[in-house]
Amino acid sequence: MSKNNKQQETPGQETRTMTKYDRKMQAYEEREKKAKVHKNFGNVIGILVVLAVATLVLSFPIRNYMAVNGTYINVGGEKITKVEFDYHYAMARTGFIAQNSYYLSMTGMDAGNIDSQMYSADLTFKDYFEQLAVENIRQTKALKEQAQTAGFVYDTDKEYAEMMEDIRDGAKESATTVNKYMKSMFGGYATESRLEKVIREGIMTTAYYEQMAESSTPADTEIDSYYEQHKNDYDVVDYHMTIVAAQLPTAAPDGSVTLDEEGNEVPYEPTEEEIAAAMEKAKEDADTAEITIMAGGDAYEAQSYAYSNYLLKDWLFDENRTSGDTTVVEDNTGHRYLVAGYERRYRVETPTVDIRAIVRSSTDTADISAQSILEEWQNGPATEESFIELCDRYDENGIEGGLYEGVGADSMSENMNAWMADAGRQAGDTAVFTQENGYDYVLYYVGTDDPAWKLTIRDLLLNQTMTEYLEGISENVAVDDPQGNLNYLKVEAAQNQQESGENQSGDDSGNSTEEQSGDSSEDSGEDVG
């Protein structure tokens, strides 16, 4: 794994930056759900007339041949079959669901039936996934051309064999054949032989992309320059704060009960005069608290601009702020005053760490526990290479070599964080942790890494560079849909036509105005003459 691809999730989180192994893995992350669907695939209920059955039987060989050999769309002058398109569609769909699973669950969206739901006002999720698939194809073909021009050679045998082995394992778990399993994953026409070229092409172009990314890593001078321009995004502050709330009256001065229109008792609402009087008294208390705020206020440490109180953040991150500065800020909405004392602003330079992790569900450890995996490693060569082999064999997250780079000291559980941050920690140290989240961890300590702020900027600049690179090389890779298979292209064409019509209408209106203005000027000139 490239040391430059830092922005990964830590073990157990939802999302992460895609590595070449992730792209390989994302295609079958849903195999459990897909397997259930596949078991019921043949349970079709209905009555077909003889003619319909005969037509289906006769048309199937033709449809099958066209899907495998015919042109579904053209990309960059290259014929894309239905088989290849369906593969990229499945990859785009699975990747989107995997990276947005939390959002989808929060919105109550059925991921299993997402295709027919609306992505936007004009596009369904099916349209959107087709759009992603086409973009993936465009970039893949552009990368392939770049790689060929550069004379790039890459042996895809090992990664292809690993992917097919995982697919065979998935088919076995689903009690079906490899080809049927691949059809459930990549479309109804998918087979191993039909997809081998497509998969190998993806492995090769990903390897070339990562080589280009490796050579595009921003220099420290670029990182420092970006930091100087965006300090508020990466600095933190220590400060003290206390809140002085106005003591608003909760009952009428005469003690009477407040009723609504239906005669029900409701909370008393203070008058503006009462609120003003309470706020005036709160201001006096806040001014008094300001004198001792540095000693008496609650301490807030390492607070970022984004997460600081919105009424205080600009004051706290003012470049001219000095230690000991204090302020009292009125919060009209909350009927209170914020009293703050500034201590310091700085950049967190604590190193992150690189670790390798074998993550296993606690429910799957009856036969193979985390402790038994560690003992297996200890009884072998006990090297980093042998730990990597165990990662590839036992890790449920599917991270290549179990490597997590740039892990923050506060990103995992308390006991794992303490283990990683131990000053005496050395490369090669290992430990087993059983966590309340239902997972067991076998950790291997690789070493320290750059501070989080630096890794974040490095990833940001690298992503910008590589995005521009992909956009540049695929800019002229045209997409042709002669059969009209892609609805999103029809929607885009209709939108462009509508915009063109609106612009034309505006131009006509503008021309008409200019002509009228010109005529008036000429008339005016003639009158003057």
Side-chain angles (χ1 to χ4, degrees):
M1 179 180 295
S2 167
K3 288 280 289 183
N4 296 318
N5 190 13
K6 298 285 186 182
Q7 203 168 4
Q8 301 183 53
E9 62 168 298
T10 50
Q13 288 183 337
E14 290 290 342
T15 62
R16 59 176 179 270
T17 298
M18 294 289 109
T19 65
K20 64 180 179 182
Y21 189 80
D22 296 325
R23 287 183 62 183
K24 176 179 70 178
M25 287 293 294
Q26 69 180 4
Y28 48 90
E29 286 179 348
E30 294 184 298
R31 62 173 177 257
E32 295 288 339
K33 294 180 182 178
K34 291 289 186 179
K36 293 178 183 178
V37 173
H38 182 73
K39 289 179 182 178
N40 298 322
F41 187 75
N43 298 331
V44 180
I45 300 174
I47 301 175
L48 299 177
V49 297
V50 175
L51 179 60
V53 173
T55 301
L56 178 62
V57 171
L58 290 172
S59 66
F60 180 76
I62 298 174
R63 289 188 292 112
N64 196 66
Y65 177 84
M66 290 303 297
V68 176
N69 300 288
T71 300
Y72 189 71
I73 58 173
N74 285 294
V75 177
E78 184 172 338
K79 176 183 75 175
I80 305 299
T81 65
K82 184 72 164 64
V83 175
E84 182 173 359
F85 179 84
D86 285 350
Y87 172 81
H88 283 278
Y89 180 94
M91 296 287 277
R93 183 182 188 276
T94 304
F96 176 87
I97 292 174
Q99 294 184 44
N100 297 278
S101 58
Y102 178 76
Y103 168 79
L104 295 175
S105 64
M106 289 295 292
T107 57
M109 190 173 294
D110 180 10
N113 188 36
I114 193 173
D115 303 65
S116 60
Q117 300 178 62
M118 296 305 296
Y119 171 76
S120 67
D122 301 308
L123 300 177
T124 64
F125 270 95
K126 177 178 182 292
D127 298 330
Y128 176 64
F129 294 147
E130 287 182 341
Q131 192 175 21
L132 290 180
V134 170
E135 188 59 27
N136 288 341
I137 295 171
R138 291 178 69 237
Q139 293 180 356
T140 298
K141 301 307 178 183
L143 282 167
K144 182 177 73 171
E145 182 179 355
Q146 291 284 310
Q148 291 173 342
T149 301
F152 178 76
V153 178
Y154 187 79
D155 187 354
T156 61
D157 286 350
K158 180 181 178 181
E159 291 176 56
Y160 179 78
E162 289 174 349
M163 182 171 183
M164 290 311 303
E165 181 180 357
D166 290 333
I167 288 176
R168 279 188 280 273
D169 289 342
K172 184 177 180 180
E173 292 175 11
S174 301
T176 187
T177 65
V178 170
N179 280 345
K180 286 183 178 179
Y181 183 75
M182 293 187 74
K183 284 180 170 62
S184 74
M185 295 300 300
F186 306 124
Y189 300 102
T191 65
E192 180 178 355
S193 60
R194 291 170 183 170
L195 282 179
E196 179 175 357
K197 180 181 178 182
V198 177
I199 293 172
R200 287 183 181 273
E201 181 179 83
I203 294 171
M204 185 277 291
T205 52
T206 299
Y208 180 73
Y209 171 87
E210 292 190 346
Q211 176 179 285
M212 294 300 296
E214 186 81 24
S215 64
S216 301
T217 302
D220 286 350
T221 53
E222 296 177 73
I223 295 173
D224 291 338
S225 176
Y226 185 88
Y227 163 77
E228 289 297 330
Q229 299 174 46
H230 303 84
K231 284 186 176 182
N232 281 4
D233 295 333
Y234 303 100
D235 283 354
V236 296
V237 294
D238 293 346
Y239 65 98
H240 299 262
M241 184 180 73
T242 191
I243 297 175
V244 179
Q247 301 301 308
L248 303 179
T250 58
D254 60 2
S256 61
V257 176
T258 304
L259 304 176
D260 62 14
E261 296 178 354
E262 298 178 354
N264 300 314
E265 184 175 350
V266 294
Y268 176 72
E269 294 186 5
T271 64
E272 292 184 4
E273 291 77 10
E274 290 173 326
I275 293 175
M279 287 293 286
E280 183 178 353
K281 177 61 171 64
K283 178 63 165 61
E284 294 175 359
D285 295 340
D287 290 340
T288 301
E290 184 180 9
I291 300 172
T292 59
I293 185 61
M294 297 302 294
D298 294 329
Y300 292 80
E301 297 181 342
Q303 298 294 301
S304 68
Y305 181 85
Y307 289 98
S308 296
N309 185 285
Y310 77 100
L311 292 173
L312 290 174
K313 61 175 56 180
D314 288 334
W315 180 84
L316 288 169
F317 283 83
D318 188 327
E319 288 283 354
N320 297 318
R321 190 65 51 229
T322 59
S323 180
D325 285 355
T326 62
T327 189
V328 174
V329 178
E330 183 179 9
D331 179 4
N332 282 321
T333 303
H335 299 130
R336 60 185 187 171
Y337 285 91
L338 307 180
V339 185
Y342 175 86
E343 187 171 331
R344 63 171 180 153
R345 171 176 175 165
Y346 56 101
R347 196 172 64 186
V348 177
E349 299 292 352
T350 305
T352 58
V353 301
D354 297 343
I355 60 171
R356 295 189 185 275
I358 299 174
V359 184
R360 292 184 63 79
S361 171
S362 300
T363 59
D364 297 334
T365 59
D367 298 325
I368 304 175
S369 67
Q371 185 61 42
S372 69
I373 293 173
L374 179 59
E375 291 173 358
E376 180 179 347
W377 176 78
Q378 292 170 335
N379 294 331
T383 62
E384 185 172 1
E385 289 71 22
S386 64
F387 194 90
I388 292 172
E389 293 176 3
L390 295 180
C391 287
D392 294 338
R393 193 190 314 169
Y394 294 121
D395 180 41
E396 294 183 354
N397 276 356
I399 303 299
E400 185 176 10
L403 181 62
Y404 295 85
E405 297 177 295
V407 179
D410 60 349
S411 58
M412 300 176 73
S413 66
E414 184 176 350
N415 55 352
M416 285 194 284
N417 288 338
W419 181 83
M420 290 187 299
D422 190 329
R425 189 65 53 225
Q426 296 181 355
D429 286 353
T430 55
V432 170
F433 296 93
T434 298
Q435 301 301 297
E436 295 181 356
N437 64 0
Y439 286 89
D440 292 343
Y441 298 80
V442 186
L443 300 186
Y444 179 99
Y445 187 83
V446 178
T448 59
D449 209 328
D450 287 327
W453 72 267
K454 190 170 187 177
L455 297 181
T456 301
I457 296 177
R458 180 180 296 160
D459 280 350
L460 175 64
L461 295 179
L462 179 59
N463 287 338
Q464 289 177 349
T465 298
M466 296 310 296
T467 297
E468 293 172 0
Y469 169 73
L470 285 177
E471 290 175 349
I473 65 173
S474 60
E475 182 179 9
N476 296 319
V477 179
V479 177
D480 183 29
D481 180 23
Q483 308 299 325
N485 291 312
L486 304 178
N487 182 63
Y488 85 86
L489 289 178
K490 300 174 186 176
V491 172
E492 287 181 355
Q495 291 174 341
N496 292 336
Q497 185 175 4
Q498 180 179 357
E499 291 175 1
S500 177
E502 291 174 354
N503 291 337
Q504 182 63 42
S505 175
D507 290 343
D508 291 343
S509 175
N511 289 338
S512 176
T513 301
E514 289 176 6
E515 289 171 1
Q516 293 175 2
S517 176
D519 291 344
S520 297
S521 297
E522 290 175 2
D523 291 342
S524 176
E526 289 175 358
D527 290 340
V528 171

